[in-house]
Amino acid sequence: MELGRNLLYIDISSDMERKILAGAFKEGEKLPSERQLTTQYRVSRNVIRQAITILRQKGFLVVKP
């Protein structure tokens, strides 16, 4: 993933959104864990949480405890 001029969490949420739309994540399927995503994107958990918040606000994700 090539990061642009945006903040990291915006770039990551955009990348994850593209993957959701491309079918990499199926509806109802769990996303990889925060820990796995931090390793994949090489960022902190806080950045991943911010990206997930954006996806949730856009209606791409439903967060369940």
Side-chain angles (χ1 to χ4, degrees), residues 23-40:
F25 301 115
K26 306 292 184 229
E27 187 171 337
E29 179 181 57
K30 285 185 177 182
L31 288 178
S33 70
E34 283 182 358
R35 185 166 289 165
Q36 290 170 315
L37 291 170
T38 60
T39 301
Q40 178 181 341

Side-chain angles (χ1 to χ4, degrees), residues 1 7 10 12 18 21 30 34 36 49 61-62 65:
M1 177 180 81
L7 297 171
I10 294 172
I12 291 169
R18 281 190 296 275
L21 293 172
K30 285 185 177 182
E34 283 182 358
Q36 290 170 315
R49 287 181 184 137
L61 299 178
V62 175

Side-chain angles (χ1 to χ4, degrees), residues 5-61:
R5 293 181 184 202
N6 292 326
L7 297 171
L8 280 175
Y9 68 91
I10 294 172
D11 289 333
I12 291 169
S13 69
S14 295
D15 184 60
M16 291 177 72
E17 184 177 329
R18 281 190 296 275
K19 288 179 179 179
I20 290 168
L21 293 172
F25 301 115
K26 306 292 184 229
E27 187 171 337
E29 179 181 57
K30 285 185 177 182
L31 288 178
S33 70
E34 283 182 358
R35 185 166 289 165
Q36 290 170 315
L37 291 170
T38 60
T39 301
Q40 178 181 341
Y41 288 104
R42 298 179 187 174
V43 295
S44 70
R45 288 176 80 175
N46 190 46
V47 172
I48 294 299
R49 287 181 184 137
Q50 289 174 306
I52 288 171
T53 296
I54 290 173
L55 292 169
R56 195 176 86 233
Q57 290 171 343
K58 288 182 167 185
F60 283 97
L61 299 178

